[in-house]
């Protein structure tokens, strides 16, 4: 039987030329009618997946041999997008909004490369074909029209066209409802997508609808299927003697869990002992979830699909049903629980001189909280607390001693330790935010952090050398270009990071973080350094973890809430029980790991996006009644359209360039700064500023600030005065055409809201007033924005024709190249924006 791999490998050969199916039939020596029929099915399947293409002459070949790339589309709210190629070594490809061919965010597409930069680093392309659609349904705001039809404005701002809803597909929806629509037909040319309402979430202002909308938008599964719940109900609530076969009994050891006060799924427990020879023995005991979630079962399939638990502001969407996550798999105090243990012995130099990985049974002594452990170790505990946990105090002191030594060892080898402030949003029973409190990273959190890191590294290295299929948590080296930009940036502050060629050891970056500790520029340099790095992900290959300066690293410690941890527990159990893997089993697992790694990484990304969106929503809601109040903050990001400022409570807002009235500011990307044209005033990443809350947009989940005590610049010249200046300039040999152009630009800013909405409805595009342009820019947040947008902003604020002309020309010239990490609108996009402004 011919396989997919055989066909693809043959077509990827250098000497291969596109063949017809008859020629392929002869090459693979297919003789029987049955085999021929199966072969044609295989070709059709490969073609439908976009892995091969059929030309007009009925010949087959792989896309990469036809100047085409296959990958996933990452769309941007401004209309353009990027192809993320299947080939990870291939650079991303920029796709202009006019070249999207109806493709939507997340779609699998084929792209033709249309241009390359001089060095081949920057690629541009156009969508040739949408292989498969990622979006079958959308969440958005239902807007009825008097003409007997409606549009749904998608919550996902990366979908820039509204979805047309014919009257027969309303299904009870009314104006102002938040709805879920099923896409009936996808956008094609100038035609919008068409859909039908399949669920009404409620009115947009109803309590709880905001969070439900985010859940539906990211297609997060709330309820578990019946078959999954039935299997969960069949899991026993207590441990029986038969469950203990082959397990090491650790129930007599003093083992504790240390978690947050509100944690319910306790999946890790620890204990530390000191041996007579002075060595430490650290035991990390993780809930043995794989014992209850068997491979291929409904529970396992659902966990794979979910990938991880999602922690939203007011709720948790668990990977496993509560009967497991909060019951038999949770390491609750004073009850027997099945665990997977990693025991490590450290010598005086913190080398692991012995380790053991085994199945076990434990009974935790106490359910400790971070707060109580911190109080006990810092002397803040009251007498009752000290008396209650007196029998564990020596253990806690030993834990602190070992954790600090492990941390120092990690720092010495070059691990990068970012200490950014985190917060927690408190909400009432209706979901309304009542407060935002900082999460402190105390000694208690650091103890658990260091112990989990040690176990993860030990497990990863152990099974790497056993050469069994495994999942690793990897963090690749930074992109050379981004790293170079970072190195150039820190020279502005007088710092230098040494490396070899285009590479740098993480130790050098950690040394820099230590050097800037406590300085004014600490926040700015730490932020830019973090942005220069790649995202960590899962992989079937052990490629190392740059940020931790670890050669081997995996996720072993949270199988209740992360599917990769559950998978490696399953592999560990199989190896422990049988001693090795059969060749057939080895081949099967090796074939599965890459798919699991990809799925887990994608689901993690969805979870992070949903968590961030709910936080942004609730932070905006928290600031609603604080409009007009003043706060101290730090500049957290500088863009071509304004400054983002983060307050002490971690709320972030935008100061738009158009609201900075004391000067004309120019964006300097390399310095992450806005510099005043007349005053030379500099606003740079990390600077302290005093701001006032100006606006809160609940639709966009954004907050606008304005500078306090900003003196107004010279009064803006009216259109009449501008035309007078034109005539005067003409008499003096000036350039009348340019002045009139500037005047027209000023006049065209307003726009007619009703007419714009009607025209947008006719063309299938979202109607927005001119005033909404700024909100759309704000949605880009910390992604890129074209310098052309900055030019438009400067033009609209001009006090003189010649100054406006000079600024526009300068910005248009600057706009020819890429404008930041997130994307780079092409010339057509910038021209359109300038006209719109």
């Amino acid at each position: 039987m011919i396989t997919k791999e055989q066909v693809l490998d043959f077509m990827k050969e250098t000497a291969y030329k596109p063949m017809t199916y008859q020629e392929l039939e002869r090459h693979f020596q297919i003789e029987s009618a049955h085999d021929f029929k199966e072969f044609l099915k295989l070709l059709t399947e490969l073609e439908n997946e976009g892995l091969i293409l059929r030309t007009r002459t009925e010949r087959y070949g792989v896309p990469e041999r036809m100047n085409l790339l296959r990958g996933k589309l990452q769309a941007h709210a401004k209309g353009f997008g990027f192809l993320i190629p299947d080939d990870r070594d291939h650079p991303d490809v920029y796709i202009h909004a006019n070249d999207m061919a109806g493709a939507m965010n997340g779609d699998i597409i084929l792209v033709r490369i249309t241009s390359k930069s001089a060095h081949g680093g920057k690629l541009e392309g156009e969508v040739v074909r949408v292989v498969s659609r990622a979006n079958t349904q959308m969440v958005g705001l239902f807007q009825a029209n008097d003409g007997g039809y409606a549009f749904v404005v998608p919550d996902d701002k990366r979908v820039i066209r509204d979805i047309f809803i014919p009257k027969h597909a309303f299904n009870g929806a009314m104006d102002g409802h938040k709805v879920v629509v099923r896409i009936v037909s996808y956008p094609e040319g100038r035609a919008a997508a068409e859909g039908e309402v399949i669920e009404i979430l409620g009115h947009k202002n109803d309590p709880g609808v905001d969070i439900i909308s985010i859940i539906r938008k990211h297609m997060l599964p709330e309820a578990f299927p019946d078959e999954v719940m039935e299997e969960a109900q069949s899991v026993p609530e207590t441990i029986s003697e038969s469950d203990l076969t082959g397990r090491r009994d650790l129930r007599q050891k003093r083992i504790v869990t240390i978690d947050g006060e509100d944690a319910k799924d306790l999946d890790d427990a620890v204990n530390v002992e000191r041996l007579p020879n002075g060595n430490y023995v650290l035991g990390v005991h993780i809930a043995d979830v794989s014992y209850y979630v068997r491979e291929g079962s409904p529970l396992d399939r659902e966990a794979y699909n979910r990938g991880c638990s999602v922690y939203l502001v007011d709720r948790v969407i668990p990977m496993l049903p509560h009967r497991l996550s909060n019951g038999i798999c949770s390491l609750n105090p004073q009850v027997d629980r099945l665990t997977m243990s990693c025991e490590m012995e450290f010598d005086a130099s913190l080398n692991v001189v012995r380790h053991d990985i085994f199945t076990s049974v434990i009974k935790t002594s106490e359910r400790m909280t971070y707060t109580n452990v911190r109080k006990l170790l810092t002397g803040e505990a009251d007498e009752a607390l000290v008396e209650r946990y007196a029998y564990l105090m020596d253990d806690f002191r030993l834990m602190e001693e070992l954790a600090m030594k492990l941390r120092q060892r990690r720092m010495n080898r070059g691990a990068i330790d970012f200490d950014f402030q985190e917060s927690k949003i408190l909400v009432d029973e209706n979901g309304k935010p009542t407060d935002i409190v900082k999460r402190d990273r105390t000694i208690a959190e650091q103890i658990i952090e260091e112990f989990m890191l040690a176990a993860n590294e030990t497990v990863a290295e152990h099974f790497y050398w056993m050469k069994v299929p495994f999942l690793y948590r990897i963090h690749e080296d930074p992109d050379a270009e981004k790293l170079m930009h970072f190195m150039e940036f820190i020279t502005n502050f007088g710092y230098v990071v040494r490396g070899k060629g285009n590479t740098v050891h993480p130790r050098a970056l950690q040394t820099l973080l230590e050097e800037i500790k406590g300085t004014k520029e600490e926040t700015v340099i730490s932020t830019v350094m973090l942005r220069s790095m790649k995202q960590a992900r899962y992989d079937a290959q052990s490629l190392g973890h740059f940020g931790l300066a670890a050669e081997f690293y995996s996720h072993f410690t949270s199988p209740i809430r992360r599917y990769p941890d559950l998978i490696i527990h399953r592999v560990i159990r199989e190896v422990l029980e049988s001693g090795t893997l059969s060749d057939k089993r080895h081949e099967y697992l090796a074939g599965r790991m890459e798919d699991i790694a990809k799925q887990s990484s994608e689901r993690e990304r969805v979870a992070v996006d949903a968590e961030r969106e709910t936080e942004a929503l609730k932070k905006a809601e928290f600031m609603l009644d604080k409009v007009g109040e003043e706060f101290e903050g730090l500049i957290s990001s500088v863009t071509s359209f304004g400054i983002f400022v983060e307050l002490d409570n971690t709320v972030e807002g935008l100061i738009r360039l158009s609201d900075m009235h004391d000067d004309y500011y120019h964006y300097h990307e390399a310095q992450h700064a806005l510099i005043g044209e007349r005053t030379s005033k500099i606003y740079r990443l990390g600077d302290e500023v005093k701001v006032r809350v100006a606006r809160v947009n609940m639709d966009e989940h954004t907050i606008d600030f304005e500078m306090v005590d900003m003196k107004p610049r010279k009064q803006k010249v009216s259109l009449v005065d501008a035309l007078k200046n034109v005539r005067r300039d003409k008499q003096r040999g000036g350039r009348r055409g340019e002045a009139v152009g500037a005047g027209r630009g000023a006049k065209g800013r307003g726009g007619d809201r009703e007419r714009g909405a009607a025209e947008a409805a006719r063309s299938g595009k979202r109607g927005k007033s001119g005033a909404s342009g700024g909100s759309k820019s704000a949605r880009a947040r910390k992604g890129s924005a074209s310098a052309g947008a900055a030019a438009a902003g400067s033009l609209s604020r001009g006090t003189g024709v010649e100054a406006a002309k000079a600024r526009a020309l300068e910005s248009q010239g600057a706009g020819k190249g890429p404008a930041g990490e997130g994307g780079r609108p092409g010339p057509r996009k910038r021209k359109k924006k300038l006209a719109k402004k």
Side-chain angles (χ1 to χ4, degrees):
M1 185 66 186
I2 307 300
T3 65
K4 284 185 178 182
E5 290 71 23
Q6 287 176 298
V7 174
L8 293 174
D9 289 344
F10 172 59
M11 292 185 180
K12 289 176 182 177
E13 290 178 3
T14 307
Y16 177 79
K17 292 183 180 180
M19 293 182 177
T20 64
Y21 72 86
Q22 294 96 334
E23 291 170 332
L24 290 168
E25 175 192 2
R26 288 193 293 270
H27 171 79
F28 287 108
Q29 299 178 355
I30 299 172
E31 297 178 355
S32 71
H34 176 267
D35 288 348
F36 176 67
K37 187 176 180 180
E38 292 300 315
F39 181 66
L40 288 182
K41 284 184 180 179
L42 178 61
L43 289 179
T44 303
E45 186 179 340
L46 287 170
E47 186 181 358
N48 290 338
E49 292 178 10
L51 296 174
I52 65 173
L53 285 179
R54 181 172 48 172
T55 68
R56 293 177 182 177
T57 57
E58 298 296 320
R59 296 179 181 274
Y60 292 89
V62 288
E64 50 264 42
R65 298 290 301 278
M66 300 179 180
N67 193 32
L68 296 177
L69 270 179
R70 183 182 186 275
K72 178 179 286 189
L73 176 64
Q74 187 178 83
H76 193 278
K78 293 181 181 295
F80 61 89
F82 286 90
L83 173 77
I84 311 301
D86 290 343
D87 180 3
R88 290 177 182 162
D89 296 328
H90 196 287
D92 297 347
V93 181
Y94 168 75
I95 305 169
H96 190 274
N98 293 345
D99 299 323
M100 299 283 273
M104 302 169 74
N105 184 63
D107 288 350
I108 302 299
I109 57 175
L110 291 177
V111 168
R112 177 181 292 112
I113 306 299
T114 56
S115 67
K116 298 182 180 180
S117 65
H119 302 289
K122 303 294 183 184
L123 303 177
E124 295 194 14
E126 60 183 2
V127 177
V128 173
R129 177 184 159 197
V130 177
V131 175
S132 63
R133 294 286 186 177
N135 305 286
T136 57
Q137 60 186 48
M138 288 276 177
V139 177
L141 181 64
F142 188 88
Q143 293 183 342
N145 188 286
D146 294 337
Y149 60 88
F151 282 95
V152 168
V153 182
D155 285 357
D156 189 345
K157 304 311 174 188
R158 294 169 298 187
V159 180
I160 61 173
R161 290 185 178 184
D162 300 339
I163 301 170
F164 174 75
I165 311 293
K167 189 170 185 178
H168 66 81
F170 285 13
N171 294 330
M174 300 177 65
D175 195 68
H177 274 159
K178 274 295 186 77
V179 299
V180 181
V181 296
R182 183 178 66 84
I183 299 178
V184 176
S185 63
Y186 289 89
E188 187 174 345
R190 297 178 63 85
E194 182 178 325
E196 64 172 344
V197 176
I198 59 173
E199 184 181 4
I200 299 172
L201 303 179
H203 192 274
K204 65 177 182 178
N205 297 326
D206 289 347
V209 169
D210 48 7
I211 297 290
I212 291 293
S213 297
I214 292 174
I215 291 172
R216 293 290 191 276
K217 171 185 170 181
H218 293 279
M219 291 188 280
L220 299 175
E222 289 185 283
F224 287 93
D226 291 342
E227 60 176 355
V228 173
M229 293 305 297
E230 287 174 10
E231 185 181 357
Q233 290 298 325
S234 68
V235 174
E237 295 182 342
T238 57
I239 308 299
S240 65
E241 283 300 317
S242 61
D243 297 325
L244 307 184
T245 304
R247 292 182 178 273
R248 195 175 302 179
D249 193 341
L250 305 179
R251 286 177 288 187
Q252 300 308 311
K253 288 184 176 289
R254 289 195 304 273
I255 299 174
V256 298
T257 60
I258 306 177
D259 292 275
E261 279 83 353
D262 54 354
K264 295 180 177 63
D265 50 351
L266 314 178
D267 52 7
D268 57 82
V270 295
N271 72 296
V272 177
E273 302 171 20
R274 193 191 294 276
L275 299 179
N277 63 2
N279 288 357
Y280 301 93
V281 174
L282 167 63
V284 175
H285 315 281
I286 309 300
D288 192 356
V289 181
S290 65
Y291 185 80
Y292 301 101
V293 182
R294 298 294 181 171
E295 184 176 10
S297 66
L299 273 171
D300 182 47
R301 292 195 299 270
E302 184 69 14
Y304 167 84
N305 291 333
R306 294 182 177 226
C308 58
S309 296
V310 185
Y311 294 84
L312 305 180
V313 169
D314 62 346
R315 72 197 72 188
V316 176
I317 300 177
M319 185 180 78
L320 298 171
H322 289 305
R323 184 177 173 87
L324 276 78
S325 62
N326 296 359
I328 193 68
C329 292
S330 183
L331 307 183
N332 300 327
Q334 299 295 330
V335 291
D336 293 351
R337 286 292 183 257
L338 305 183
T339 47
M340 191 78 72
S341 296
C342 177
E343 194 173 85
M344 298 152 280
E345 181 180 342
F346 297 92
D347 63 14
S349 301
L350 276 299
N351 298 311
V352 180
V353 296
R354 177 188 65 83
H355 73 272
D356 197 5
I357 301 167
F358 53 93
T359 56
S360 55
V361 55
I362 67 170
K363 180 187 285 187
T364 56
S365 303
E366 296 285 353
R367 187 261 199 252
M368 300 300 301
T369 65
Y370 291 129
T371 300
N372 284 343
V373 172
R374 172 184 58 80
K375 288 180 178 179
L376 289 167
L377 290 173
T378 58
E380 302 173 32
D382 56 32
E383 290 184 12
L385 197 65
V386 171
E387 183 178 349
R388 179 180 175 185
Y389 298 119
Y391 76 106
L392 291 172
M393 278 306 301
D394 288 342
D395 292 351
F396 292 145
R397 293 191 184 98
L398 196 58
M399 287 180 188
E400 179 183 16
E401 182 181 318
L402 175 58
M404 292 303 97
K405 288 183 177 180
L406 287 172
R407 175 179 168 76
Q408 189 58 51
R409 182 193 67 165
R410 193 162 56 86
M411 294 299 103
N412 290 342
R413 77 184 184 197
I416 303 172
D417 186 39
F418 292 105
D419 192 15
F420 290 111
Q421 187 66 58
E422 294 184 357
S423 63
K424 181 178 181 180
I425 303 171
L426 305 180
V427 296
D428 61 19
E429 63 277 3
N430 295 318
K432 183 177 180 180
T434 57
D435 198 6
I436 301 175
V437 296
K438 288 184 177 181
R439 284 179 172 169
D440 294 325
R441 189 185 178 200
T442 68
I443 181 59
E445 282 87 355
Q446 290 180 30
I447 286 173
I448 294 302
E449 178 182 329
E450 295 302 328
F451 290 176
M452 298 305 114
L453 288 173
N456 285 337
E457 289 184 43
T458 301
V459 168
E461 183 171 6
H462 179 95
F463 287 94
Y464 173 83
W465 292 115
M466 288 195 71
K467 300 188 183 302
V468 298
F470 215 64
L471 279 179
Y472 299 92
R473 181 70 169 179
I474 67 168
H475 185 213
E476 296 155 293
D477 292 355
D479 177 77
E481 185 178 353
K482 290 183 181 179
L483 193 60
M484 181 184 69
H485 289 158
F486 171 70
M487 308 277 257
E488 291 174 354
F489 170 69
I490 62 174
T491 59
N492 295 312
F493 300 91
Y495 296 102
V496 176
V497 172
R498 289 177 172 79
K500 293 182 180 179
N502 290 329
T503 62
V504 63
H505 193 278
R507 185 186 296 110
L509 297 178
Q510 177 57 30
T511 300
L512 174 64
L513 290 178
E514 293 170 358
E515 191 176 349
I516 64 175
K517 192 76 174 176
T519 64
K520 184 180 178 181
E521 58 266 21
E522 178 183 3
T523 300
V524 52
I525 292 179
S526 298
T527 302
V528 176
M529 182 191 296
L530 182 63
R531 290 175 187 168
S532 71
M533 295 184 180
K534 294 183 178 180
Q535 290 180 342
R537 61 182 176 85
Y538 297 103
D539 201 282
Q541 305 298 318
S542 179
L543 304 178
H545 197 293
F546 180 83
L548 294 172
E551 187 176 358
F552 308 100
Y553 195 70
S554 65
H555 272 171
F556 163 76
T557 53
S558 295
I560 287 179
R561 61 185 182 90
R562 293 190 304 229
Y563 192 71
D565 305 53
L566 174 58
I567 285 296
I568 70 170
H569 275 226
R570 193 173 286 155
V571 173
I572 292 170
R573 166 190 305 287
E574 199 165 338
V575 172
L576 291 177
E577 290 177 351
S578 60
T580 184
L581 298 174
S582 67
D583 291 343
K584 185 177 180 180
R585 182 62 175 165
H586 190 285
E587 183 181 356
Y588 170 77
L589 288 174
R592 287 276 295 140
M593 288 303 172
E594 195 62 49
D595 171 68
I596 294 172
K598 183 179 179 181
Q599 162 75 359
S600 298
S601 297
E602 289 176 354
R603 295 308 302 169
E604 178 188 42
R605 200 67 249 145
V606 170
V608 169
D609 288 345
E611 289 165 4
R612 287 177 177 171
E613 190 169 347
T614 54
E615 285 185 7
L617 164 71
K618 291 303 176 183
K619 284 181 177 180
E621 188 177 352
F622 180 72
M623 299 300 288
L624 263 177
D625 60 357
K626 295 170 179 57
V627 173
E629 295 185 23
E630 297 178 1
F631 298 89
E632 300 283 347
L634 288 176
I635 295 178
S636 57
S637 182
V638 181
T639 73
S640 60
F641 53 84
I643 299 169
F644 286 96
V645 176
E646 183 174 312
L647 307 183
D648 187 56
N649 62 3
T650 72
V651 167
E652 188 177 58
L654 171 67
I655 301 175
R656 301 179 187 278
L657 207 59
S658 56
D659 290 336
M660 299 176 69
H661 304 301
D662 64 333
D663 203 347
Y664 305 101
Y665 288 89
H666 296 280
Y667 174 52
H668 292 255
E669 184 180 2
Q671 284 75 37
H672 294 261
L674 289 177
I675 301 179
E677 183 180 292
R678 294 184 297 102
T679 61
S680 297
K681 184 183 290 185
I682 300 175
Y683 289 103
R684 188 161 49 192
L685 205 63
D687 287 351
E688 296 179 0
V689 291
K690 189 171 185 179
V691 298
R692 183 184 300 109
V693 182
R695 294 173 292 275
V696 176
N697 187 329
M698 288 306 300
D699 291 331
E700 305 289 346
H701 310 161
T702 58
I703 303 161
D704 282 1
F705 293 149
E706 58 188 12
M707 288 288 186
V708 173
D709 299 329
M710 177 170 280
K711 296 179 181 179
R713 56 175 175 256
K714 294 168 69 176
Q715 187 175 356
K716 183 164 61 175
V717 177
S718 67
L719 178 60
V720 174
D721 292 335
L723 293 174
K724 288 180 180 178
N725 290 340
V726 170
R727 297 189 187 100
R728 187 180 64 245
D729 289 343
K730 183 180 181 183
Q731 293 172 356
R732 296 176 181 175
R735 299 177 181 175
R736 183 178 186 279
E738 293 164 356
V740 172
R744 285 174 182 165
K747 184 178 181 181
R749 286 200 311 275
D752 184 303
R753 183 179 183 90
E754 290 74 22
R755 186 178 64 191
E759 289 173 353
R762 284 198 297 272
S763 62
K765 296 180 181 179
R766 181 176 311 163
K768 285 184 179 286
S769 66
S772 68
S775 298
K776 191 170 183 181
S777 293
R779 284 202 301 269
R781 305 297 287 172
K782 297 178 184 175
S784 70
S786 69
S794 298
L795 187 61
S796 69
R797 299 191 311 275
T799 60
V801 171
E802 290 300 321
K805 172 200 164 188
R807 284 191 299 279
L809 289 176
E810 177 184 338
S811 297
Q812 287 171 345
K816 291 177 182 177
E821 177 184 333
R824 46 193 179 112
R828 287 169 291 180
K829 188 74 173 180
R830 283 189 292 273
K831 187 174 181 182
K832 183 178 179 182
K833 284 184 184 177
L834 197 60
K836 182 178 178 181
K837 290 282 185 179

